[in-house]
């Protein structure tokens, strides 16, 4: 079992930015229309933000305000699919026997976002980039709780997924729209999660786990389950 | 030649994503890397690639004078002109 507090959260998806936007969405969750909109990251100097993909912009836009005022804040970055548009561009160039873009190549690795985060914030705390299955939220939380148990006063967890290029549509079916969720975690007993390993009869969550969590943060449901493959994560909130 | 310089400036802006800069903001003799425009080593690689693709020329990354060719827009334009004539 792991336990923690969610001291603050931020989320972004095309058209959904404020708490009120997410409140409205979570009351009637729906797939958002396809959009190329990217969040505002004008708090970064132009020379620094110019290479940021939308995935990176999403991560920065939810993470930056949560990190405000924290001198040293470990970061756990979780994304199942990562920079699929960059990967696809690079593979397309390879297939066409074109030279690869050094910028695309250098930023296509899974820990590129935390590297940029570290450079732009001058942050040298522990940072981890993980790619888990559909329960990346819970795996990210385990990682974050390990850092809290080691004595970190707070840990930032950012979960983000980009809309994959159409060519991957056949294989990637768990990204209804691009989104990012940032959770500022602190030690505490507000939330407890335990893992069970028999998912028989338990349906998969209707939305990606981090979006489903947002719904429950907003409707204040005391307990819920997230099942992925044979793993059942039992969420319990102390009200 | 002056057209080539402004083409190269536009190429720099497009290839390096300098969204808040226009052609008139880049001086012919302005230093591109480090100080001046403030481009970095990844930009150098990206710009080298863009120049090769756009002008159909080969750049030897190890050649000693390559660094000098990339010092500003005027030197790049002279380099491209010389390469294309060769």
């Amino acid at each position: 079992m792991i336990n923690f507090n969610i001291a603050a959260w931020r989320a972004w998806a095309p058209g959904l930015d404020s708490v009120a936007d997410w409140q409205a969405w979570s009351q009637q969750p729906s797939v958002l229309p396809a959009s190329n909109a990217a969040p505002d990251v004008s708090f970064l100097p132009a020379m620094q933000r110019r290479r940021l993909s939308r995935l990176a912009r999403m991560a920065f836009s939810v993470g930056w305000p949560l990190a405000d005022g924290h001198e040293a804040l470990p970061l756990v970055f979780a994304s199942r699919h990562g920079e699929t548009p960059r990967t696809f561009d690079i593979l397309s160039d390879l297939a066409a026997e074109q030279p690869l873009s050094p910028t695309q190549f250098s930023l296509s690795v899974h820990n590129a976002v935390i590297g940029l985060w570290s450079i732009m914030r001058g942050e040298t705390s522990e940072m981890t980039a993980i790619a888990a299955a559909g329960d990346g939220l819970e795996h990210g939380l385990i990682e974050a709780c390990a850092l809290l148990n080691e004595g970190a006063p707070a840990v930032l967890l950012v979960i983000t997924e980009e809309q994959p290029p159409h060519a991957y549509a056949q294989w990637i079916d768990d990204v209804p729209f691009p989104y990012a969720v940032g959770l500022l975690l602190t030690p505490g007993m507000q939330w407890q999660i335990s893992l069970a390993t028999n998912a028989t009869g338990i349906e998969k969550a209707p939305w990606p786990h981090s979006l489903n969590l947002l719904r429950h943060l907003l409707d204040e449901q005391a307990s819920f389950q997230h099942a992925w493959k044979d793993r059942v994560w039992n969420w319990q909130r102390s009200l | 030649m002056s057209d080539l310089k402004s083409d190269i400036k536009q190429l720099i802006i497009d290839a390096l994503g300098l969204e808040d800069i226009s052609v008139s903001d880049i001086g012919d003799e302005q230093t591109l890397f480090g100080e001046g425009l403030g481009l970095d080593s990844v930009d150098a690689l990206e710009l080298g690639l863009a120049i090769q693709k756009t002008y159909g020329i080969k750049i030897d990354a190890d050649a000693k004078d390559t660094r000098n060719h990339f010092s500003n827009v005027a030197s790049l334009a002279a380099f491209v002109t010389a390469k294309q004539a060769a």
Side-chain angles (χ1 to χ4, degrees):
Chain A
M1 195 189 73
I2 56 173
N3 55 274
F4 53 87
N5 288 358
I6 299 177
W9 63 269
R10 296 279 295 218
W12 188 91
L16 304 180
D17 198 359
S18 66
V19 173
D21 293 338
W22 283 103
Q23 223 138 20
W25 181 83
S26 70
Q27 275 157 19
Q28 277 189 313
S30 60
V31 173
L32 305 174
S35 164
N36 289 323
D40 178 27
V41 287
S42 55
F43 50 81
L44 298 170
M47 286 301 273
Q48 291 191 356
R49 67 173 185 260
R50 67 199 166 101
R51 289 184 191 137
L52 301 182
S53 63
R54 176 163 68 177
L55 181 104
R57 286 168 194 251
M58 291 194 292
F60 274 77
S61 77
V62 301
W64 202 271
L66 292 174
D68 199 30
H70 290 262
E71 195 114 314
L73 184 64
L75 169 66
V76 178
F77 168 87
S79 179
R80 183 181 193 190
H81 304 291
E83 295 271 15
T84 44
R86 284 199 199 274
T87 317
F88 186 69
D89 283 348
I90 292 171
L91 291 174
S92 302
D93 280 342
L94 264 185
E97 297 186 1
Q98 290 296 309
L100 305 186
S101 155
T103 312
Q104 292 275 32
F105 185 73
S106 70
L107 295 178
S108 64
V109 294
H110 203 58
N111 56 7
V113 169
I114 62 174
L116 291 167
W117 178 270
S118 169
I119 292 167
M120 293 183 192
R121 295 192 64 86
E123 174 66 79
T124 54
S125 300
E126 297 92 329
M127 293 180 208
T128 311
I130 62 172
D135 48 358
L137 165 67
E138 284 82 2
H139 288 108
L141 283 165
I142 290 175
E143 199 70 30
C145 284
L147 291 160
L148 291 176
N149 286 346
E150 273 186 354
V155 174
L156 180 60
L157 171 60
V158 172
I159 301 113
T160 181
E161 294 295 347
E162 175 58 285
Q163 187 83 63
H166 183 69
Y168 297 131
Q170 198 179 333
W171 297 279
I172 302 180
D173 60 359
D174 61 342
V175 186
F177 47 82
Y179 64 87
V181 175
L183 304 173
L184 183 65
L185 305 165
T186 52
M189 295 297 285
Q190 199 182 62
W191 288 97
Q192 294 169 42
I193 306 177
S194 60
L195 174 63
T197 52
N198 184 354
T200 316
I202 302 173
E203 283 191 26
K204 275 210 290 192
W207 298 95
H209 289 192
S210 51
L211 296 181
N212 216 45
L213 169 62
L214 283 193
R215 295 174 62 206
H216 295 312
L217 282 171
L218 292 163
D219 70 13
E220 305 197 340
Q221 193 169 316
S223 69
F224 54 92
Q225 291 180 312
H226 281 167
W228 189 269
K229 296 194 170 165
D230 59 348
R231 301 185 289 274
V232 184
W233 303 94
N234 292 297
W235 284 71
Q236 191 73 42
R237 173 189 241 177
S238 313
L239 291 173
Chain B
M1 185 75 179
S2 63
D3 279 350
L4 179 59
K5 282 182 198 158
S6 85
D7 287 350
I8 289 176
K9 290 175 188 175
Q10 192 59 52
L11 186 68
I12 291 173
I13 291 167
D14 295 340
L16 308 181
L18 305 176
E19 45 192 73
D20 58 338
I21 288 178
S22 66
V23 166
S24 59
D25 293 329
I26 307 176
D28 291 355
E29 311 282 336
Q30 186 180 6
T31 304
L32 296 177
F33 295 92
E35 55 210 51
L37 201 53
L39 303 178
D40 63 21
S41 58
V42 175
D43 291 316
L45 294 167
E46 196 72 41
L47 181 56
L49 183 67
I51 296 265
Q52 295 184 78
K53 271 188 172 176
T54 307
Y55 297 105
I57 58 175
K58 274 267 166 215
I59 298 174
D60 181 358
D62 297 325
K64 267 190 232 149
D65 48 0
T66 297
R67 179 179 283 263
N68 297 333
H69 298 319
F70 278 74
S71 57
N72 56 46
V73 170
S75 63
L76 265 176
F79 173 65
V80 169
T81 306
K83 274 284 193 180
Q84 283 183 325

